Amino acid sequence: DDGVACRFSDENFYVTATTGGSDAVYRTMLFWNAQWRLNVDITNMTGGLAAVNIAGPRSRDVLEKLCTDINLSANEFPYMGVRMASVADIPARLLRVGFVGELGYEIHAPSSMCEALWDALMAAGAEFGIKPFGVEAQRILRLEKGHIIISQDTDGLTHPHEADMAWAISRRKPFFFGRRAIEAQMKRGLTRKLVGFTLTEPDGQLPEESHLVIRKGEITGRVTSIVYSPTLNKPIGLAFVAPDQAVPENKFSIKGHDGRMIEARVVSTPFYDPENKRQEL
């Protein structure tokens, strides 16, 4: 699943998950807590909390109008930080995260108060031209940043080296879930690699998700995500390809819905703001 682990004190942690995956994450945590007989209490707070994501270069300006008990400056509240605060007098947990690649905050507050929180944010942001954005806009923004969606850009067989996420594997821990499996997989070598791509003919046919990557009549991968980016003014996507095809500027072919072969080109990710300057403002 996809989430973050926050530490509020030595023995108080707050772990987030996707809405659809929260029950499975909770069950897994309970199982291993019982197996290992840990002195840990785990509480599922999903039903009692709601979350609002405020993002964009003026998001800090909006929150500063509503938060009187916290310093929101970049030095005091850096990227990937977490704080307890009041937002419009509503108790909340603020997570400075950036799935959409912009300066942004997740505000987690009691479900019963989130309608009032939403109204307060919209009122405070009116002078800055605040607008609601939904899942489809979020999916374009996250793809521009090369952020993967678990179970869309991965499947049950995907391991970190394939998805270019080996940075998440600890080299110091003596144990973690999946370590032996990953070591065994790496001994066999990579059979595929997730890469960013664009099209050599941007105005041509746009492939669809799950369309196949074909080389000399053989399937070497598939498209996992693709959108037309209005910011970059071109199609961008992620796809699994054969390891020897995963070289920047290498060209590969995708079979379109009418059987036509569409030429794509491997490019580095993130597609947008590769130095992460915007979300670390």
Side-chain angles (χ1 to χ4, degrees), residues 197-207 226-229 232-236 249-254 258 260-267:
F197 73 88
T198 187
L199 303 182
T200 57
E201 296 183 12
D203 298 327
Q205 182 185 142
L206 194 69
I226 185 165
V227 299
Y228 184 86
S229 166
L232 302 172
N233 197 30
K234 64 182 179 181
I236 56 173
E249 301 303 319
N250 181 64
K251 295 177 181 178
F252 62 92
S253 298
I254 301 167
D258 59 359
R260 188 185 318 167
M261 303 306 290
I262 304 166
E263 191 175 68
R265 178 169 52 86
V266 176
V267 296

Side-chain angles (χ1 to χ4, degrees), residues 122-196:
M122 295 303 289
E127 67 173 290
F128 305 112
I130 196 170
K131 291 285 190 297
F133 73 98
V135 173
E136 290 305 315
Q138 182 195 56
R139 289 197 167 205
I140 294 173
L141 292 166
R142 69 91 193 175
L143 188 52
E144 289 174 346
K145 289 298 295 179
H147 292 157
I148 71 172
I149 295 180
I150 303 298
S151 78
Q152 176 171 323
D153 299 305
T154 66
D155 54 39
L157 299 176
T158 306
H159 60 81
H161 292 275
E162 289 180 341
D164 211 18
M165 297 185 74
W167 55 266
I169 301 174
S170 174
R171 303 297 179 185
R172 297 191 299 264
K173 290 182 180 179
F175 169 80
F176 59 83
F177 282 118
R179 176 170 180 164
R180 291 182 64 184
I182 290 172
E183 289 174 348
Q185 287 164 331
M186 290 313 297
K187 285 180 181 178
R188 292 199 299 266
L190 290 175
T191 59
R192 60 180 183 169
K193 195 83 165 60
L194 189 69
V195 298

Side-chain angles (χ1 to χ4, degrees), residues 28-74:
T28 301
M29 292 175 114
L30 289 180
F31 176 82
W32 287 107
N33 192 30
Q35 290 289 310
W36 292 336
R37 302 180 184 183
L38 300 176
N39 183 22
V40 175
D41 292 323
I42 303 172
T43 304
N44 188 346
M45 302 176 66
T46 303
L49 294 175
V52 176
N53 175 217
I54 179 169
R58 306 307 296 269
S59 55
R60 183 184 287 120
D61 297 329
V62 175
L63 280 183
E64 284 178 338
K65 296 177 63 176
L66 300 174
C67 298
T68 59
D69 57 352
I70 184 175
N71 186 334
L72 293 171
S73 68

